[in-house]
Amino acid sequence: MIKESLEISNYDNLILFGGFIDDFYNRFPNIKSFDKNIFLISPINFDYHPNITHFSYEVLYDEYVACLLAYFLSPTFKTKYASLDIGYLSSESNLSEEELEQISLSTNGKKSLIILGGDIYKSNVADNIIRAFNFILSEENFDVAFLDSKKANNNEQTIDEITEIQDDINGLVAYIRYDDEMRLEGSNQFALVGKVTNGDMISLNMDTKELKVKFVLNPKLRGLIGMLFSDIKFESCYYKTTIKR
């Protein structure tokens, strides 16, 4: 069931997908005090609140993850798509079957809420992602909430052929966040690979654009995904980037 208003304390499990953790906190501040299972599935490695179990996956593989979740959480989906190559989807997305099994075991027979962020709508396979989640929502122990005003516009339970990812994003990646103060925040590892230091003014090349921004070291971030705060509108959430000083 799609929930317009809810009290998360009524649930035994929360599954957060398709957004940055601050977006979920802003909409549901009591997530921080939720004392049951919280699973955040996100490519961004961050110093998350200790009550959150974070499972990472590769950038661009949202559709694969949605289908994996549907396979492990919806018996209807598993029966209908029994021939789906779960090993391949898991390997390519870098979301392990053991992690998926942990979510499945925790939610089995328990009232669970999936909260979907707005990032999924910036995927070119957003419809397929929503259709995969429709299978999960058909299970009586699952509800869903959306962070923004967009909703699933149909109840279709037939996914299209899963798109093969042709161009992986390797190296430095920028995740877009909207803010009036333009800056690029990154981890120590990001700074090392990009050969930048805290406070440097850099030239950021991405999506045919060249942006002049300040680099800010963020000790809560991990890995090679940085956060670009900008008031410029981008079609996607993640972009491969190169840096010049």
Side-chain angles (χ1 to χ4, degrees):
M1 179 183 297
I2 295 176
K3 305 291 286 187
E4 299 290 344
S5 60
L6 49 84
E7 176 51 60
I8 65 171
S9 62
N10 295 332
Y11 294 90
D12 298 303
N13 299 277
L14 301 181
I15 299 173
L16 315 179
F17 179 71
F20 184 60
I21 188 60
D22 285 354
D23 299 328
F24 297 107
Y25 285 158
N26 291 339
R27 176 70 181 278
F28 302 106
N30 49 348
I31 285 177
K32 291 184 178 181
S33 60
F34 189 77
D35 59 359
K36 301 172 187 176
N37 296 317
I38 303 178
F39 298 101
L40 173 66
I41 306 171
S42 168
I44 300 173
N45 289 305
F46 195 73
D47 185 11
Y48 294 109
H49 196 275
N51 69 334
I52 291 176
T53 299
H54 173 230
F55 293 144
S56 182
Y57 66 93
E58 297 294 328
V59 171
L60 296 184
Y61 285 84
D62 311 78
E63 180 188 21
Y64 286 29
V65 171
C67 289
L68 285 167
L69 286 169
Y71 187 90
F72 277 83
L73 301 181
S74 169
T76 305
F77 184 96
K78 188 172 184 178
T79 299
K80 187 168 185 176
Y81 296 99
S83 61
L84 198 63
D85 191 343
I86 294 302
Y88 171 78
L89 297 182
S90 174
S91 175
E92 290 295 298
S93 65
N94 204 25
L95 181 64
S96 75
E97 294 183 52
E98 290 77 16
E99 291 168 332
L100 291 157
E101 190 65 37
Q102 183 177 340
I103 298 174
S104 176
L105 289 172
S106 295
T107 57
N108 185 29
K110 302 290 184 65
K111 194 64 177 174
S112 302
L113 174 67
I114 299 174
I115 307 178
L116 298 178
D119 290 357
I120 60 175
Y121 296 105
K122 294 187 176 182
S123 169
N124 58 4
V125 288
D127 286 344
N128 232 25
I129 293 172
I130 292 296
R131 289 169 186 167
F133 278 105
N134 280 340
F135 280 91
I136 303 175
L137 300 179
S138 68
E139 308 300 331
E140 62 180 14
N141 58 314
F142 282 98
D143 290 331
V144 67
F146 289 81
L147 287 187
D148 62 20
S149 59
K150 295 180 180 179
K151 306 287 189 297
N153 56 12
N154 62 66
N155 295 317
E156 187 173 347
Q157 290 191 333
T158 302
I159 62 170
D160 295 332
E161 183 176 353
I162 298 174
T163 305
E164 182 177 354
I165 306 298
Q166 299 293 335
D167 299 310
D168 287 347
I169 297 183
N170 297 312
L172 298 178
V173 177
Y175 173 65
I176 310 301
R177 301 283 295 165
Y178 292 100
D179 194 279
D180 291 335
E181 182 185 349
M182 183 174 287
R183 64 194 184 279
L184 175 68
E185 296 187 2
S187 67
N188 282 303
Q189 185 182 3
F190 189 102
L192 183 63
V193 173
K195 299 179 180 179
V196 295
T197 58
N198 186 47
D200 282 350
M201 290 301 298
I202 60 174
S203 178
L204 193 65
N205 293 281
M206 49 178 285
D207 189 34
T208 71
K209 296 181 178 66
E210 182 172 326
L211 306 175
K212 297 289 186 180
V213 299
K214 182 179 181 179
F215 178 76
V216 178
L217 194 66
N218 186 334
K220 290 187 175 183
L221 282 169
R222 307 282 186 270
L224 299 182
I225 300 178
M227 302 180 67
L228 174 64
F229 292 84
S230 170
D231 57 2
I232 299 173
K233 298 294 183 182
F234 290 87
E235 291 185 1
S236 185
C237 297
Y238 296 95
Y239 289 95
K240 184 174 183 178
T241 185
T242 57
I243 293 175
K244 295 180 182 178
R245 295 186 59 181

